[in-house]
Amino acid sequence: VWSPVNNKKFETFSYLPPLTDSQISKQVDMIIAKGLSPCLEFASPEVSFMSNENTVRFSGTSAGYYDNRYWTMWKLPMFGCTDASQVLKEISECRRAYPQCYVRLAAFDSVKQVQVISFLVQRPSGGGGGWAMAATSGEKEMKVWSPVNNKKFETFSYLPPLTDSQISKQVDMIIAKGLSPCLEFASPEVSFMSNENTVRFSGTSAGYYDNRYWTMWKLPMFGCTDASQVLKEISECRRAYPQCYVRLAAFDSVKQVQVISFLVQRP
């Protein structure tokens, strides 16, 4: 009789002993035969289950959405995969990169546009060990972002910090598109979504977060034509708030929305 005490389960296969590679291979053969696309996902134990601490729940006329319903994806879905050994190779790499994470194999249906299969291929092993900022593996040394103690903001935040020269090129692009640069900053404790610093509204529309917008540094730089003007303001903001995140945003005066945003300082 299954004991529910300290013995959480995921899906049908998780009630069985861990699957061997041979058994996983047979499942992959079935996935491929059905024309589905295999995909690997992983998650650390503290965010792998639904809980009030790590789940955002919206109320309203639509079904609730849980922010950890989807785990972090390992590379991309294996579209066009025809050989189970390719999947087993990726499973092996993911296991080596994240021995302290749950790893599951999912399969997507391109017609129904949904995930139709999902089962564990690894449970976390015991013992200590630190978390790497990124796992490096694969033929082309593809980096897979680690979500553990490593929060990100936008695409550029997955790269090393931008140099002033690189920021200047981005500003040149912003100006060339006729957008208005703007600087915003926030202390670490209010820079991320959380139950402590976020206001959630219920209703028929999507929730609005009161920290989606950080504090503005001066006014947007309307009519800016020189990247050096923006770099000067970034330098001043960095000096004034060395313990804050600083990001450069760009506004579109036609669409009346922010269309670009990336970090120019981490605390």
Side-chain angles (χ1 to χ4, degrees):
V1 176
W2 173 68
S3 170
V5 182
N6 296 323
N7 189 25
K8 292 181 179 178
K9 300 296 182 183
F10 290 81
E11 28 60 40
T12 307
F13 285 170
S14 67
Y15 287 78
L16 302 175
L19 298 179
T20 65
D21 284 351
S22 174
Q23 291 170 326
I24 294 172
S25 180
K26 290 181 180 179
Q27 296 299 319
V28 176
D29 287 339
M30 178 271 294
I31 288 171
I32 294 172
K34 288 181 176 290
L36 306 175
S37 298
C39 175
L40 289 179
E41 300 172 330
F42 62 97
S44 56
E46 60 271 16
V47 297
S48 60
F49 296 101
M50 303 296 182
S51 72
N52 290 328
E53 286 67 40
N54 64 19
T55 301
V56 175
R57 295 185 171 94
F58 295 96
S59 60
T61 57
S62 62
Y65 172 79
Y66 304 97
D67 67 351
N68 63 339
R69 177 176 290 163
Y70 302 101
W71 294 356
T72 303
M73 189 178 291
W74 170 263
K75 300 184 181 179
L76 294 175
M78 288 168 263
F79 302 113
C81 177
T82 58
D83 187 350
S85 66
Q86 298 170 333
V87 180
L88 290 175
K89 178 176 177 290
E90 295 299 331
I91 290 173
S92 177
E93 289 185 8
C94 189
R95 285 169 171 168
R96 285 198 302 271
Y98 298 103
Q100 304 302 320
C101 282
Y102 287 97
V103 179
R104 69 184 176 196
L105 173 61
F108 293 94
D109 187 315
S110 61
V111 177
K112 296 178 180 177
Q113 293 287 299
V114 293
Q115 178 180 300
V116 292
I117 293 174
S118 174
F119 60 90
L120 289 182
V121 293
Q122 171 176 286
R123 287 178 174 273
S125 58
W131 296 99
M133 290 295 283
T136 303
S137 60
E139 182 180 351
K140 296 183 179 179
E141 296 301 304
M142 180 178 179
K143 287 189 175 181
V144 179
W145 171 68
S146 169
V148 184
N149 296 325
N150 188 23
K151 292 180 178 178
K152 299 297 183 184
F153 290 82
E154 29 60 40
T155 308
F156 286 169
S157 67
Y158 288 75
L159 302 175
L162 298 180
T163 65
D164 284 351
S165 175
Q166 292 170 324
I167 294 171
S168 179
K169 290 180 180 179
Q170 296 299 319
V171 176
D172 287 337
M173 178 271 294
I174 288 170
I175 293 172
K177 288 182 176 290
L179 306 175
S180 299
C182 176
L183 290 178
E184 300 173 330
F185 62 96
S187 56
E189 60 270 16
V190 296
S191 60
F192 295 102
M193 303 295 183
S194 74
N195 290 328
E196 287 67 39
N197 63 20
T198 301
V199 175
R200 295 187 172 91
F201 296 93
S202 61
T204 57
S205 61
Y208 171 79
Y209 304 98
D210 68 350
N211 63 339
R212 178 176 289 164
Y213 302 102
W214 295 354
T215 304
M216 189 176 291
W217 170 261
K218 300 183 180 178
L219 294 175
M221 287 167 264
F222 301 114
C224 175
T225 58
D226 187 352
S228 65
Q229 298 171 332
V230 179
L231 290 175
K232 178 176 177 291
E233 294 299 331
I234 290 174
S235 178
E236 289 185 10
C237 187
R238 285 169 173 168
R239 285 198 301 270
Y241 298 100
Q243 301 305 316
C244 284
Y245 288 97
V246 179
R247 68 184 176 196
L248 174 61
F251 292 94
D252 188 315
S253 61
V254 177
K255 297 178 180 177
Q256 293 287 301
V257 293
Q258 177 181 298
V259 293
I260 293 175
S261 176
F262 59 91
L263 289 182
V264 293
Q265 171 175 286
R266 287 178 174 271

